[in-house]
Each structure stands twice: as structure tokens, then as C-alpha cells.
Amino acid sequence: MSSPKRSDEPVWWALFSAGGVCFAVFLPGLILALGILWPLGLLNSSVLQYAQLLSLLQSGYGLTGLAFTGAVICLPLFHAAHRIHHGLHDLKCGYSSATKLLCYGLAAALSMLALYLTLHLILAD
């Protein structure tokens, strides 16, 4: 009897699930605060001052900012990459390994860029 082939799909499904939760929980709150309440003048504009936001991101030795970036940018990127990869598979476009590398590689690269820029912003001041 041969052992079953190992798959990396559980990792991608876990990132997909986590990204979907972040899409559903954090992004509507950001849209409400920055897209509706702030333009209508219902949110105090001093809350969105650069110094105030930077101090919030720097709290907890910068882990707060990295966690926020991960929850709002990185995990939703992997969610979208997973949807695109499986959509391309359903449409029978391209090879599975090529589209997997393109989708997840791009999500990983953009996530690293977002985390780097956040870390650079936190450590700059």
C-alpha cells in the first residue's frame, strides 16, 4: 500500500478562512469609520491625526501595528489569492502549479511589502 500524497491545500484554506473573517469583521468597521462617519463629521478629526494614529500603531512595541496590518491587508490578500486561484482552476485557465505560484506568490510579496512599510513607519519615529 502506498501512502497518500501530501497536499499543501490545508495551509491555503486556513489563510483563506482567516482572510474571510478579517474581511467580514475589520473592513466594514474601517469603511464605516473612514468612509462614512469621518466625511459626515460624526467622527472627531483629532482621532485621525498622524501623531495619534502613529502612537496607536507603536503601542505594544509595534506589535499592534503589525497585527493590524496583518488583519486588514495580509490575510485578505491571501483570501483573494485563494479565490482567484480556484476561480482560474474552475475556468481551466493555466496550470495549477503556475497559477498557485502566481496567486500566492503575489499575495506573499504584497504582504511582505505591507509589513515592511508598517515596520518602517513604526521604527522611523
Side-chain angles (χ1 to χ4, degrees):
M1 248 185 172
S2 64
S3 60
K5 183 182 173 193
R6 292 196 170 231
S7 173
D8 60 351
E9 278 298 308
V11 174
W12 305 122
W13 279 103
L15 287 170
F16 169 76
S17 176
V21 169
C22 290
F23 262 135
V25 173
F26 294 114
L27 290 180
L30 278 175
I31 291 170
L32 176 68
L34 298 177
I36 298 172
L37 297 178
W38 185 45
L40 290 175
L42 299 173
L43 186 66
N44 189 358
S45 62
S46 67
V47 173
L48 298 174
Q49 296 295 326
Y50 176 77
Q52 192 103 1
L53 291 175
L54 184 62
S55 68
L56 178 66
L57 289 178
Q58 289 175 335
S59 65
Y61 301 105
L63 293 177
T64 306
L66 290 176
F68 184 77
T69 301
V72 173
I73 297 174
C74 300
L75 287 175
L77 275 173
F78 280 100
H79 179 84
H82 192 74
R83 281 191 175 273
I84 292 169
H85 171 66
H86 281 279
L88 289 172
H89 177 74
D90 291 343
L91 294 172
K92 299 185 184 341
C93 295
Y95 299 101
S96 178
S97 60
T99 57
K100 182 184 284 189
L101 181 64
L102 178 68
C103 291
Y104 297 129
L106 188 60
L110 290 173
S111 295
M112 289 295 136
L113 178 65
L115 291 172
Y116 169 76
L117 291 174
T118 302
L119 195 60
H120 182 68
L121 176 72
I122 290 170
L123 297 177
D125 285 331

